[in-house]
Amino acid sequence: MMEQTTIRKGTSRIVRSIVVALVVTTLAGCATSQGSDPQPSADEIHRDLLVLDAHMDTAINFGRECWDFSEAHPLESEIAQVDLGRMAAGNLDGGFFVIFTSQGPLTAEGYRAALEHARQRSDTIDRELAKFPEMVGLATTAAEAEALNAQGKLIAFKSIENSYPIGDDLSLMREFYEAGVRMAGPVHGGTNQLADSSTDDVRWNGLSPLGKEWVGEMNRLGIIIDASHSSDAVLDQMLALSKAPIILSHSSPRSAYDHPRNIDDNRIRAIAAKGGAVCMSSIFLSELDLSGERGELFDRYDSIAQMSPAEQRELSRRWRALDATQPLWGSSFDQYVEALLHLIDVAGVDHVCFGTDWDGGGGIDGLMDITDLPAVTARLIDAGYSREDIAKMTSGNVLRILRAVEAMRER
Ligand SMILES: [Zn+2]
């Protein structure tokens, strides 16, 4: 299966080149032609771009019985929004696969359990990637990502959402670095030992003393600091302390929807001024509706890897049925595009990236899985952005920030 897909992708590129060459030749030999080359469609431009997503919770699906990561699952009957099959079809060349740990008690036992979970999640990602070496590879540097792309392979970086599992032992960040992690955020939905969460009580007025040391350790190791989920005060302090640019892996502009998970214009400018980037998310462009059946399904989704195939199918069916009657987010694709264009206006094309929160609660009507990504590129073209501008936003900026962080480590 994986080899077939790889060959198909390589073949389609060759076929496309031949078709373009024939069309150009035909036009050149046509007396009535105006002589202009055919313009590539938005779909063609999208498929030629290197497209990375900075935040994918896809590992939640790894290990599901009878679920094959290499297949292209149809969205109508499948809860997963990302798989290698849909990626290889030209929608998404790779991104950061998240080691997510939910927040638990700040006790020795809580830390121990969280560390075990994070180590397992990291291993799970490695195991899943190792099944499909012809299709995808782990990248730990920008150069490795580009080399994988040149070989026609998909790119998998690893990142950490919530550094709670390290407890009070900063040296564990080195263990995760050595396991391939190249981006990490200190906190998730609950304030922890490192930082205040954007959606929880203020305990430290920003970073804790340990959280400030964590920033230095991230710079020293060469891991990108991710400020999504951090409170505004934490973001301000990370910007002041970090010697390297920082990123928001999955956040939306607050101008679109006033929510603490979103970022205001002044802070967008501050991140840009330090060379960082804000990765546009599809979440919190409206309120989250987890009422009734959706809340029940959301809780069950967490343990999808332990379900029987029949239970997985039933969860997927009910989840997609609810999309039609009670969407998770009330926002439209037009609102998403409007918010994205605002972010670009404020940050500039050198400081925008994409982190849709696939498989972690992201997705709105019109942008429900990665097969919809060419529509985003089409809107950027319509808005007047050049292929070069769009390429910065789909991958260039993230790789530039990774290189800056790599250079900081070497120093
Ligand atoms: Zn998140």
Side-chain angles (χ1 to χ4, degrees):
M1 173 57 75
M2 54 200 168
E3 284 180 25
Q4 280 173 353
T5 311
T6 309
I7 290 163
R8 195 174 65 232
K9 189 181 186 190
T11 309
S12 71
R13 276 190 180 156
I14 294 163
V15 169
R16 196 162 59 228
S17 306
I18 293 168
V19 169
V20 169
L22 283 173
V23 170
V24 171
T25 309
T26 309
L27 281 178
C30 175
T32 55
S33 160
Q34 297 303 302
S36 62
D37 290 348
Q39 291 297 309
S41 70
D43 271 16
E44 286 170 325
I45 290 173
H46 182 87
R47 282 170 221 296
D48 280 342
L49 289 166
L50 180 62
V51 183
L52 301 176
D53 188 283
H55 190 92
M56 297 188 287
D57 282 293
T58 307
I60 195 170
N61 293 306
F62 293 169
R64 281 170 56 181
E65 193 184 343
C66 297
W67 187 84
D68 186 338
F69 185 38
S70 72
E71 281 181 15
H73 300 85
L75 183 73
E76 306 78 60
S77 57
E78 174 55 51
I79 195 166
Q81 296 165 305
V82 175
D83 51 45
L84 296 177
R86 279 175 280 182
M87 290 171 78
N91 302 297
L92 182 66
D93 297 289
F96 285 79
F97 288 92
V98 177
I99 299 164
F100 165 68
T101 308
S102 58
Q103 187 57 52
L106 305 181
T107 61
E109 175 51 24
Y111 293 147
R112 193 202 56 74
L115 180 59
E116 189 183 324
H117 167 87
R119 282 172 170 160
Q120 280 177 5
R121 189 49 63 103
S122 179
D123 287 347
T124 300
I125 294 171
D126 292 338
R127 248 197 325 276
E128 197 66 27
L129 298 179
K131 289 181 193 169
F132 310 105
E134 300 301 318
M135 287 185 86
V136 63
L138 180 71
T140 61
T141 64
E144 284 178 11
E146 287 162 355
L148 284 165
N149 185 247
Q151 295 164 29
K153 291 186 188 179
L154 300 167
I155 299 157
F157 287 106
K158 278 190 199 172
S159 61
I160 283 177
E161 183 172 37
N162 198 3
S163 296
Y164 162 60
I166 69 166
D168 52 14
D169 183 0
L170 281 183
S171 74
L172 286 168
M173 287 311 301
R174 168 173 290 281
E175 176 186 318
F176 284 105
Y177 177 88
E178 284 166 358
V181 168
R182 292 297 180 270
M183 186 192 296
V187 70
H188 186 245
T191 291
N192 66 14
Q193 79 276 23
L194 299 166
D196 292 336
S197 168
S198 62
T199 48
D200 196 10
D201 295 339
V202 172
R203 173 175 175 187
W204 306 104
N205 289 307
L207 289 159
S208 71
L210 184 67
K212 288 175 182 167
E213 284 183 54
W214 177 91
V215 170
E217 186 65 4
M218 297 285 283
N219 286 170
R220 205 178 65 77
L221 287 170
I223 303 179
I224 299 173
I225 293 172
D226 176 7
S228 283
H229 287 288
S230 288
S231 73
D232 287 348
V234 172
L235 171 56
D236 295 343
Q237 290 166 20
M238 290 198 291
L239 279 168
L241 286 171
S242 175
K243 296 185 178 71
I246 72 170
I247 220 166
L248 270 77
S249 69
H250 60 306
S251 293
S252 303
R254 204 170 284 173
S255 66
Y257 184 68
D258 191 6
H259 189 279
R261 265 291 277 114
N262 291 338
I263 178 164
D264 63 63
D265 288 359
N266 284 336
R267 288 187 171 85
I268 292 172
R269 291 186 195 98
I271 284 175
K274 280 209 70 164
V278 178
C279 301
M280 179 70 194
S281 186
S282 62
I283 62 171
F284 290 112
L285 296 165
S286 64
E287 199 43 72
L288 172 64
D289 185 356
L290 280 177
S291 63
E293 186 181 1
R294 182 74 82 173
E296 179 213 325
L297 297 183
F298 204 86
D299 290 343
R300 295 187 59 207
Y301 174 49
D302 211 30
S303 53
I304 191 167
Q306 283 79 52
M307 290 180 187
S308 70
E311 288 169 332
Q312 296 172 34
R313 275 196 301 276
E314 179 65 1
L315 174 63
S316 288
R317 187 194 63 74
R318 289 173 65 194
W319 185 272
R320 292 294 162 221
L322 270 186
D323 285 349
T325 56
Q326 183 201 325
L328 193 58
W329 306 100
S331 36
S332 67
F333 184 62
D334 282 344
Q335 285 170 311
Y336 167 87
V337 172
E338 191 183 325
L340 170 62
L341 295 178
H342 174 84
L343 175 63
I344 301 170
D345 271 347
V346 176
V349 293
D350 291 305
H351 305 285
V352 173
C353 39
F354 291 92
T356 318
D357 211 359
W358 298 124
D359 296 323
I364 51 170
D365 189 26
L367 185 59
M368 197 50 90
D369 76 350
I370 59 169
T371 65
D372 288 326
L373 285 172
V376 179
T377 296
R379 290 295 193 96
L380 291 173
I381 294 167
D382 287 349
Y385 290 101
S386 68
R387 191 193 178 287
E388 288 67 32
D389 287 342
I390 299 169
K392 289 176 179 177
M393 296 187 275
T394 57
S395 62
N397 295 331
V398 167
L399 294 178
R400 183 198 73 232
I401 290 166
L402 184 56
R403 283 199 162 88
V405 170
E406 289 166 11
M408 180 67 51
R409 171 186 172 83
E410 281 157 21
R411 224 179 296 147

